Structures are given as structure tokens and as C-alpha cells.
Amino acid sequence: MIEFAASHRTLRAAVRSRSRPIYASVSSLSRLELYFDELLGWRFANHALGSKRYKRLAEDIFLATVNLTKSKEQSTNELRLRPVNLVSKRWVDDFAKIANAIRIETGFTLRPNQIECALRLLSGECAELRTGEGKTLAAALAACAAASAGVPVPVVTVNDYLAKRDADLIRPIAARLGLSLGTLEQSMADSEKSVIYDSDIVYGTNKTFVFDFLRDRRENQQGRSREQARQMGQAYAIVDEADSVLIDDATVPMILSEPSGNVPPADIVLLNDLLNFAGAARSGVEYLQNREGAFQLTETGIARLGRLAKFWVHPAARDSGLVQLAETAISARQGFRRDVHYLVRNGEIVMIDQATGRLMPDRKWAYGLQQMIELKEDVEPTSEARTVGQITQQTYFRRYQQLSGLTGTAKECRSELWAIYKLAVGHVAPHNPSQLKRLTFKVHDTANQKWRVVAKAAIAAALDRAVLIGVNHVAESAALAEVFAGLGRPVFVLDAMSEAHEAELVAQAGQREAITIATHLAGRGTDIGLADAVRENGGLHVILASAMASSRLERQLYGRAGRQGDPGSFETHISLEDRGLFEGVPPTIKIAANMLLRKRFAPRWALSRLQAARDARTRIQRRRTLLREQDLTRRLGYS
């Protein structure tokens, strides 16, 4: 008999109680432990079952589901699932009943690889399943099985659209199984959220779960009864797009703040003075950018700042923190770009999430930087906000008794997922062999030259196919769209500016002659359905038209083609002017890669070295953030 529990934590039934919420006991990670696990530990991570055994159990459940569909007995009222050794041969018939409920409500019979994916989720792994293979229903099988066994299940997604879409799809399935399902929205009243959290299965965004946790902790510190809390602990969670949530967005502080009054006029004068200083500062002479990308004043810059500050009346002009404020002003001038890091919409600055390309209307930078960017863009400065609580997502998600993840691209970050979350990555094979073809890789001297070549290549490919062009940010999508406009060729643009119409644009992206420009992760989580004529003529063609920050981002983008064994292809175009091509890379690697790219010698390898160096840098930054947050938690006594 095949039996096993989670690979590192046991999945348990949870008595849902606000007065006694369930959390994991999170031990501090040492620097040495993180180093070891990233280098070697992940290779020896104990998987509860080997891949062959997962596949064998998944096949048994699949066959039982097929037999059940032929039977007149369709009852799901007698599920016997228990959370201890939940993934076991003894529960095959129960899993088949849940899979059959999915078939009845959606018309789709789960494939063995989707069932295998669900088993890995229930075992506390991060399941890597290729784009288009049906991760949503795989997560539904795992969520319904855990909930049927008495375990409350939050299913964490990256945006409200995906949370609502998936919840609406799964709700009839849950109802057929006698389970309640709710959808969280950030704008909901507290009374509404408490009702949602009472559900067996809760769909919501990572940020909503984290901010509700912070609000509960803040109100508990103020003496509010735990019975009035929103959440009831962290027993088990399924994190969709796990690499985005647990890696890319992991160290961004989730800051809970309260308004503390308007910006004093004297502060506005000082901030403007600092912006004027920053605007006139000379790069390489009065300020430098270090290896981590931070701007720092040189001795020459500090001396000029001191001379100017003698004429400023604000008390901060005599304070030792003035240098840091001046460096913040340089960052606001040089490091934060409109349509790249933020948009100006309806007289407000709206941040763009650099990991996902999505808008973050509920987020602001720290006091000083936020107001400087607003002044730079002639926007009315917003009021100062006082921080009353903060946590990073990597600390929040480590508090779950059992955590599982789901994504199409986990291989590149599997060492970090194990080191921080003890989350082993299990690869689930696609149900059909891939027909995706890798085509040309070209390096162009200038961005304008690249845009013209990309536009012509897209128009040629779109004669009988659909084309998706991936770029890094809104400014690039606008520049490329302008080239298409000059050629008289209409295109769809899917970026932070068009977020409200995302589903509609994605639905059109698979039609014959359609050309869609997308920032690298816009539309992630939504399938591009191909018209029959497109499939017959070679499928979706993807053009990577910017130097992506990592190979994982590239794979996420070109993985939109060749889904479920469909034909597809992709090609890559970068220019030596691409923003971020050499950012955050050690000088020796930068010089060598630059030379190779200019000579057009081994360009794929050169780009991969730049990406690997950048990945190493961001990994070090995340490790430092985690260790620092652990230290602050220990000193301040957070719980």
C-alpha cells in the first residue's frame, strides 16, 4: 500500500477558531544553513514519493474516475478522506469522486498528469506543470480533497481577476461536494471578509491575505478581541504562480500604514530643493551607482550639497540624514522612470509591480521618495503615512503548517524554494510531447533598429498565424506600438495600461492575423486559445523583443506557445541599448558579455551569463532581506 504525508510538515485537520489560530513554529534560518541548502541541500531534499510512484497512484485515480463515469452511481456524499496520509491508495475512490465532480461541472476529465500535480500539492511540494496543462483544475482537485478532509484551504493567486475567475469555475464543484467557497476582495468590509474566511476554500490574492494578517495583528495589539479577527490561522495553502509570489515578490515589504497629516509646506520646499540638486548632479562625478543599483553621493557631491544646504531653511538641511535624502532625490530623478516603474493616472502616481508588470494602486513608496516622484511629475504630493505594521511575503508564507506551490517555471529557483520554504520542486510531465520550435536569436545595435525588424517579422508571421511579442515594460510596448502604427498595422497592447481589458485581449490573441504586444507577465495565468486555422499553420509565434532579466521570465513568455502539444515557435531579438541588459552585473562579466554581443559571438551564452549574474545578485539580496527581517523580528518581539 502506498502511503505518505507531507515531505516536511504534516497536513492536519484544523479546528477553525479565531481565538486559537493555527500557525507553524518558524525557526530562524542561519546564513550558513541558507548557503548550504541553496548549494547542496535542495539536491538531497527528501521527496515523500518518487515520481514513478506518484504517476502510478495518479493512473489508479484516473482509471477509477473513468470507471465511475460509466457507473450510474455518481454520489459524492460519502467521502471518507482524512488528513493523515491523505495521499494514499486507500483514498483512490474518494479522489475519483472529486475528479468526477469536476468532470460533471466543467465537462473536462482530469488527465493523469493533472492528478499527479494535485498529489504533489497535497504532499507539500511545488509542482511544476507546463503552461496550458490545466493547473487551475489540478489545484481544484487538491483544494477539494484537503477541504473534504477538514483542512481549510486558501488558494493564493497573483491578481483579483484570476482569483475571481478561478473561484467562479470551482464554486459549482465545491457545492456538489458539500463544500463552501469564497472569494476575497481587498475592498471588502471586515464583516464580509470574516464570512469569506469561514469558507472551506478561499480564493484571493497574496497581498490580500498578507494585509489582512497585518490588520489582524495590529488590531490584536490594540486590544481587539481575536474573535473579531478576519483570519483563523495558517494551516495549509496552495500558492498559484508560486515563483512570482514566493521568489519575485517575496522580499517586497508589505507595509500597513495610517495617514498622519498633509505634507508640511516646508517639507515641499526642501524636497524641491533636493530634486533641483539631483537634476544638476553629474553622474560619475557627484554621484555613482553601486553594484546593488543604489545611488550614492561622492565626496564631490557631498561637498556641493553642503554648500547649497547653507541657504536652505529646513531643519533637515542641518541633519546628518540630508545625504540620504539627497541620494533618494537622485534615485527619484534617475532610477524611477515613468511608464516603467509607475504611471500617472487621474492625477496620481500608480506603481507598477516590476515582477508582474501589473498596477499596484494601493501601494506607495516611503515618505520622501513618494513625494519627490509626485513633485517630479507635477502631481499634488500625498499625505505622509505612518507605518504601523510590515512583513515580507517570504516571512508570511513560512508561517503555514504546510505550504504547496504551483507554477510552470520553478526549475530555475528550486534551490531557493527549498532553502527558504523547505518546498521541494517536483516536475510533472506534459500530457503530450512539446512541438515548440526555437528559431533565430539576433542582436541589434540600437533599439529603433530592433523595433523595425521585430515589426516586420511579426507582420510576416501573422499572415496565417497569431503573434505574441514580449517586452519588459510599458515604455517599450508604446515604442513598438508606434512603429506598427507607422506601418499602418493595427496591434493589441497588453500591459499595465490595459489591465482592465486583459481577459478580452488575451481571448483575441490566438486569432489568425492577431499581433499582441505584452509586457513580460501581463496576462499570466490566462490561456491563449488558438483558432483552428492558426493551429493548422504552425500555432502561436512568440517574439521575445527585450533582454529579459532572467531565463525564467523568458520561459514564462515563450511557454505561451506550444501548449498541450500544439505547434508553436519563438525567436529572440535584443539590442545593445536594452534597458537593464547590463544592470546589476559585475564589471568583469559585463565587459566580457558586451564584447561577445557586439561581435555577435555566442550571443545566447553571453545573455545567459548576464542573466545568471543578475539572478545571483537578486538571490543574495533576498537572503539579506530575510536575515535582516529575522533579526528585527527577534529584537522587536513580533509574533
Side-chain angles (χ1 to χ4, degrees):
M1 180 179 291
I2 299 172
E3 289 189 5
F4 65 99
S7 56
H8 66 287
R9 293 170 185 161
T10 303
L11 182 62
R12 301 179 185 275
V15 178
R16 280 173 274 181
S17 169
R18 289 188 168 83
S19 60
R20 300 182 65 183
I22 296 173
Y23 297 108
S25 177
V26 180
S27 59
S28 294
L29 297 171
S30 68
R31 190 182 303 273
L32 181 61
E33 182 182 0
L34 286 170
Y35 273 128
F36 174 79
D37 277 339
E38 284 187 20
L39 290 174
L40 293 172
W42 68 272
R43 299 178 186 273
F44 305 111
N46 288 325
H47 291 260
L49 274 183
S51 294
K52 290 183 180 178
R53 292 181 178 176
Y54 273 122
K55 287 179 170 55
R56 197 178 306 145
L57 186 55
E59 288 286 353
D60 288 343
I61 295 171
F62 175 73
L63 292 175
T65 306
V66 172
N67 290 334
L68 190 60
T69 61
K70 299 175 182 177
S71 170
K72 294 181 180 179
E73 176 59 46
Q74 301 286 324
S75 173
T76 57
N77 296 327
E78 298 179 0
L79 294 175
R80 305 167 296 125
L81 290 166
R82 298 293 181 268
V84 178
N85 295 332
L86 180 59
V87 182
S88 164
K89 197 173 181 68
R90 73 176 72 174
W91 310 122
V92 165
D93 290 341
D94 296 273
F95 275 98
K97 289 178 180 179
I98 298 173
N100 191 48
I102 292 174
R103 181 194 63 81
I104 293 170
E105 295 297 338
T106 67
F108 188 89
T109 300
L110 291 181
R111 296 184 295 267
N113 67 335
Q114 290 174 289
I115 299 171
E116 179 190 343
C117 181
L119 296 178
R120 290 182 181 274
L121 293 177
L122 291 168
S123 303
E125 291 188 9
C126 179
E128 184 184 67
L129 183 62
R130 198 179 187 279
T131 299
E133 289 290 317
K135 292 191 289 292
T136 300
L137 292 182
L141 176 59
C144 290
S148 296
V151 180
V153 185
V155 182
V156 185
T157 60
V158 292
N159 63 65
D160 287 324
Y161 165 73
L162 290 178
K164 184 177 185 307
R165 183 203 68 179
D166 292 354
D168 288 345
L169 175 66
I170 308 307
R171 188 172 285 107
I173 301 168
R176 175 171 287 274
L177 297 167
L179 302 171
S180 57
L181 184 148
T183 311
L184 278 177
E185 295 179 18
Q186 184 67 32
S187 59
M188 282 180 170
D190 290 346
S191 58
E192 293 179 279
K193 284 189 174 180
S194 295
V195 173
I196 297 299
Y197 278 113
D198 284 337
S199 303
D200 298 309
I201 303 171
V202 179
Y203 278 80
T205 69
N206 48 334
K207 294 179 176 65
T208 303
F209 284 110
V210 174
F211 278 121
D212 283 347
F213 167 80
L214 286 175
R215 291 186 181 97
D216 283 344
R217 186 168 71 178
R218 168 68 172 166
E219 290 163 5
N220 180 248
Q221 292 168 346
Q222 293 176 328
R224 187 181 182 186
S225 169
R226 283 192 181 272
E227 293 294 342
Q228 297 175 289
R230 300 160 186 81
Q231 297 182 347
M232 290 181 285
Q234 294 165 260
Y236 172 62
I238 297 172
V239 181
D240 195 10
E241 307 296 359
D243 56 329
S244 178
V245 174
L246 301 178
I247 299 296
D248 297 330
D249 215 18
T251 57
V252 177
M254 300 288 103
I255 299 173
L256 184 66
S257 59
E258 296 175 349
S260 60
N262 295 327
V263 183
D267 282 12
I268 294 178
V269 172
L270 176 64
L271 296 176
N272 271 316
D273 287 338
L274 288 165
L275 282 172
N276 290 333
F277 164 80
R282 294 166 291 170
S283 176
V285 178
E286 293 171 332
Y287 72 87
L288 301 169
Q289 194 171 11
N290 65 20
R291 287 178 59 179
E292 281 71 39
F295 291 92
Q296 295 179 329
L297 288 179
T298 63
E299 291 300 323
T300 303
I302 293 172
R304 186 167 78 88
L305 177 66
R307 292 193 296 271
L308 291 172
K310 292 178 181 178
F311 302 98
W312 298 346
V313 297
H314 198 286
R318 317 286 177 266
D319 189 272
S320 59
L322 183 65
V323 171
Q324 184 177 349
L325 280 173
E327 290 171 344
T328 299
I330 293 172
S331 182
R333 282 281 191 195
Q334 308 298 337
F336 288 84
R337 305 172 188 175
R338 184 169 180 166
D339 295 338
V340 176
H341 298 94
Y342 61 88
L343 300 176
V344 179
R345 175 175 286 181
N346 300 326
E348 293 182 353
I349 299 293
V350 182
M351 291 173 63
I352 299 175
D353 189 330
Q354 295 302 290
T356 66
R358 299 182 184 279
L359 297 180
M360 299 189 291
D362 56 341
R363 293 279 299 280
K364 294 184 183 299
W365 289 288
Y367 183 71
L369 176 58
Q370 176 75 28
Q371 287 70 27
M372 286 179 188
I373 291 175
E374 288 167 338
L375 289 169
K376 182 181 78 168
E377 298 293 348
D378 293 324
V379 170
E380 184 70 23
T382 55
S383 61
E384 180 180 0
R386 180 167 58 95
T387 298
V388 296
Q390 74 177 66
I391 194 172
T392 60
Q393 291 184 64
Q394 62 185 1
T395 295
Y396 171 80
F397 283 106
R398 289 179 68 227
R399 295 170 63 94
Y400 277 93
Q401 281 193 335
Q402 180 171 315
L403 187 66
S404 64
L406 186 63
T407 181
T409 47
K411 180 179 69 175
E412 294 86 349
C413 52
R414 55 191 169 181
S415 62
E416 196 170 354
L417 286 170
W418 177 257
I420 295 175
Y421 305 99
K422 293 299 178 282
L423 196 58
V425 173
H427 175 71
V428 181
H431 75 285
N432 280 326
S434 174
Q435 296 188 55
L436 185 64
K437 297 179 181 178
R438 179 195 292 266
L439 303 180
T440 185
F441 184 112
K442 291 187 178 179
V443 180
H444 306 274
D445 290 327
T446 68
N448 286 337
Q449 181 187 51
K450 177 186 68 174
W451 298 137
R452 290 194 296 270
V453 172
V454 166
K456 291 178 181 178
I459 291 171
L463 290 175
D464 54 6
R465 298 173 65 184
V467 177
L468 176 68
I469 306 174
V471 296
N472 271 323
H473 50 74
V474 174
E476 289 186 338
S477 67
L480 181 54
E482 190 174 336
V483 173
F484 278 106
L487 296 172
R489 180 59 161 85
V491 296
F492 302 116
V493 179
L494 180 58
D495 57 23
M497 297 287 286
S498 59
E499 194 173 57
H501 308 290
E502 183 171 297
E504 179 184 343
L505 291 174
V506 169
Q508 297 170 334
Q511 301 302 306
R512 186 170 178 267
E513 299 185 353
I515 298 177
T516 304
I517 303 171
T519 49
H520 58 79
L521 288 185
R524 185 176 181 183
T526 54
D527 288 338
I528 297 177
L530 299 184
D532 290 339
V534 171
R535 186 176 289 105
E536 292 168 2
N537 288 304
L540 181 68
H541 181 60
V542 174
I543 301 177
L544 284 73
S546 296
M548 299 293 165
S550 72
S551 59
R552 180 163 51 88
L553 291 179
E554 286 185 352
R555 195 153 67 97
Q556 287 165 2
L557 188 59
Y558 70 67
R560 307 301 292 269
R563 296 167 53 256
Q564 299 187 30
D566 283 343
S569 57
F570 72 96
E571 61 184 282
T572 304
H573 294 264
I574 65 172
S575 84
L576 297 174
E577 294 180 345
D578 280 3
R579 183 186 72 87
L581 181 60
F582 301 109
E583 281 183 10
V585 176
T588 52
I589 296 178
K590 177 179 178 179
I591 292 170
N594 187 26
M595 180 183 68
L596 291 174
L597 290 172
R598 288 186 181 279
K599 296 292 186 181
R600 310 305 196 260
F601 181 76
R604 292 183 197 271
W605 183 87
L607 179 60
S608 70
R609 291 306 88 203
L610 291 171
Q611 291 171 334
R614 196 176 295 109
D615 281 344
R617 169 187 165 229
T618 57
R619 189 164 56 249
I620 290 170
Q621 289 175 334
R622 286 191 290 267
R623 188 188 307 134
R624 287 175 179 170
T625 300
L626 174 62
L627 293 170
R628 182 174 181 273
E629 188 172 22
Q630 284 183 169
D631 183 55
L632 289 175
T633 299
R634 187 167 54 250
R635 291 184 186 184
L636 299 176
Y638 287 154
S639 58

